[in-house]
Amino acid sequence: MSGALSGSRPNIVLIVLDDLGYGDLSRYGSPVGTPRMDAVGRAGMTFRQACSGAPICTPSRAALMTGRYAQRVGLPQVLWPEEDRGLPEFEHTVAEAMRAAGYATGIFGKWHLGDPRLTGNPWDARPRFLPSAHGFDHFCGIPYSNDQGWGDRQRLPLYRGDAVAVDDVNTEQGQERLAGEYTDAAIAFIRRSVARQRPFFAYVPHSSVHQPFHVPEETGGADGRYPDVIREADRQVGRLLDELRALELVESTLVIITSDNGPWFEGSTGGLRGRKTDPFEGGLRVPFMVRWPGRVPVGENRYPISFVDLLPTLIDLAGAPAPPSDRPIDGISIAPALAGEPMPRGRTLYYFGDLEEGPTGEVDPDWMWNVSAARQDRWKLLWPATVWPDLGREMLFDLDTDPAESTDVAAAHPLIRDSLAQRARIFNDEILRNRAAAIERTRRHRGGG
């Protein structure tokens, strides 16, 4: 760990908005005021080239939890209610690492890594998909997206711990109150942790600003307007930040605010190409702000980071045990970057996504198993040639001068293009060789059932 960050293990609050675009916070150029979230960036570090784990939600969360690309985990696509797959017990999550280091762990919001199915026939239940089976001591939230209710009534259950607390929150009032429910539960968890003198890891994956849009009266806006949903998310983040201040925890708490992928039908990419589902920057690049007063310096950082970096970074900061050595970890610790120190150059990041641009309801499963882009430093290669030959040639972009990915410079830099294409091909082959085993782990249960 960087010397500037060593010596004290922080509490950790990780806030992940759902479908919040790169340009949806005023800190990143939005006309919609988001003063509470912006304050985290102003008092800490604002990353300008952070990418989520995937351009869609389940795989992005799988990468965040495990430090591994979702294809290695076996979850490259969105999971649906009652699906008999989920986060494998084989995976070592950031919550398990934090708990092993003595942290209290809690998740307050959208899980979306497997439906426990505790609302129907008890014989169909899958408790191995509960957050408690993956390192979390406390859970208040929903098992999948707020637009994924199932059955004739499109039921959306709210869990508290390992039990269903509310059978269905898929109503106007229920959806309006979700963000507040998450915040209330997170605040109660933090208070309990402080009373027990335990460091805490609070993971707060809000279901907003994902459609459908609902906001309570306190926000002062009408239901169904995207700016109001953003303002409500900002208000709820502010409540959590206020609690940290009231408990005198600001100096001892690392706060991260980000999003699981780019915007869907509404929302701003900040001028970047593509949207949710796309491997272009608009589908992947997200706000990412970090505050830890006195430890993380105030400033901006343009080093390319990814959600796979969160697990190794938080393990580093918490002094937690390393993951088992029997699996590759794709992320690296960005603790040096958080300390304002340089990071190594030459690292390659791989992206997966749908190369048919624009918001779509369906994504071809095979597309999400194959590398669609690779990035090294300033260079990003769109790599459709061997997987989607009908979509054209490989394209190389210089993201330093062309963040909108508008000009193909492959002809001017053939060696860079060929080098990245070869890396993509080798990594793609590795992923596909292990595809069947990865899928099988998402269904397997050590104890059967």
Side-chain angles (χ1 to χ4, degrees), residues 89 125-128 443-449:
E89 292 171 309
R126 297 291 183 267
R128 66 186 183 276
R443 298 191 175 103
R444 189 185 308 145
H445 180 35
R446 284 193 296 262

Side-chain angles (χ1 to χ4, degrees), residues 89 354 391 406:
E89 292 171 309
D354 176 356
L391 293 180
S406 62

Side-chain angles (χ1 to χ4, degrees), residues 362-383:
E362 299 292 334
V363 177
D364 188 306
D366 283 335
W367 291 350
M368 301 309 295
W369 276 101
N370 288 278
V371 172
S372 54
R375 177 172 182 176
Q376 188 177 77
D377 300 330
R378 68 192 294 173
W379 305 106
K380 181 176 176 182
L381 180 77
L382 236 3
W383 190 66

Side-chain angles (χ1 to χ4, degrees), residues 52-332:
S52 63
I56 51 179
C57 44
T58 294
S60 186
R61 293 156 201 272
L64 182 156
M65 279 286 111
T66 67
R68 289 153 48 83
Y69 291 111
Q71 288 69 21
R72 295 195 194 274
V73 179
L75 296 175
Q77 300 152 247
V78 172
L79 289 174
W80 290 86
E82 297 202 289
E83 197 166 344
D84 195 22
R85 298 191 305 121
L87 185 64
E89 292 171 309
F90 169 82
E91 297 297 335
H92 183 76
T93 70
V94 63
E96 289 173 309
M98 295 298 105
R99 187 158 67 181
Y103 279 66
T105 58
I107 170 174
F108 311 98
K110 169 181 160 182
W111 171 235
H112 214 173
L113 289 172
D115 181 4
R117 296 164 64 175
L118 300 187
T119 53
N121 187 329
W123 294 103
D124 293 333
R126 297 291 183 267
R128 66 186 183 276
F129 296 151
L130 284 163
S132 62
H134 299 280
F136 286 103
D137 302 322
H138 302 275
F139 175 38
C140 174
I142 57 177
Y144 34 77
S145 286
N146 62 329
D147 67 339
Q148 284 186 312
W150 62 275
D152 294 339
R153 290 174 45 220
Q154 292 292 294
R155 190 162 50 187
L156 180 67
L158 177 72
Y159 282 73
R160 292 188 187 277
D162 288 353
V164 174
V166 182
D167 185 60
D168 186 17
V169 293
N170 194 19
T171 63
E172 183 171 348
Q173 185 180 45
Q175 294 258 9
E176 285 177 359
R177 296 175 58 183
L178 274 179
E181 293 270 6
Y182 304 153
T183 305
D184 290 346
I187 287 173
F189 163 76
I190 289 171
R191 289 175 178 172
R192 285 194 303 270
S193 301
V194 171
R196 295 169 182 169
Q197 298 184 315
R198 290 186 67 188
F200 56 83
F201 170 56
Y203 172 42
V204 188
H206 277 280
S207 45
S208 62
V209 295
H210 194 292
Q211 293 179 314
F213 303 146
H214 296 283
V215 293
E217 290 295 326
E218 298 94 296
T219 303
D223 287 354
R225 295 187 62 238
Y226 189 71
D228 291 333
V229 181
I230 291 179
R231 281 190 280 266
E232 171 62 9
D234 192 62
R235 185 175 77 91
Q236 295 298 338
V237 169
R239 290 182 58 214
L240 199 50
L241 298 176
D242 288 344
E243 185 67 21
L244 294 176
R245 183 167 299 281
L247 295 173
E248 300 183 343
L249 296 174
V250 172
E251 306 295 322
S252 59
T253 303
L254 177 83
V255 176
I256 301 173
I257 298 175
T258 187
S259 172
D260 68 337
N261 46 247
W264 200 7
F265 293 93
E266 298 199 44
S268 171
T269 66
L272 301 173
R273 180 178 179 179
R275 300 183 75 79
K276 178 179 179 177
T277 79
D278 301 331
F280 299 98
E281 292 297 288
L284 288 160
R285 195 180 297 195
V286 291
F288 196 97
M289 301 179 293
V290 184
R291 185 188 78 181
W292 186 10
R295 299 302 184 96
V296 173
V298 175
E300 296 194 354
N301 193 302
R302 296 187 177 274
Y303 183 78
I305 65 172
S306 166
F307 269 21
V308 294
D309 299 331
L310 279 165
L311 177 138
T313 301
L314 297 184
I315 281 178
D316 201 0
L317 297 178
S325 59
D326 62 348
R327 71 212 56 199
I329 298 296
D330 296 302
I332 62 173

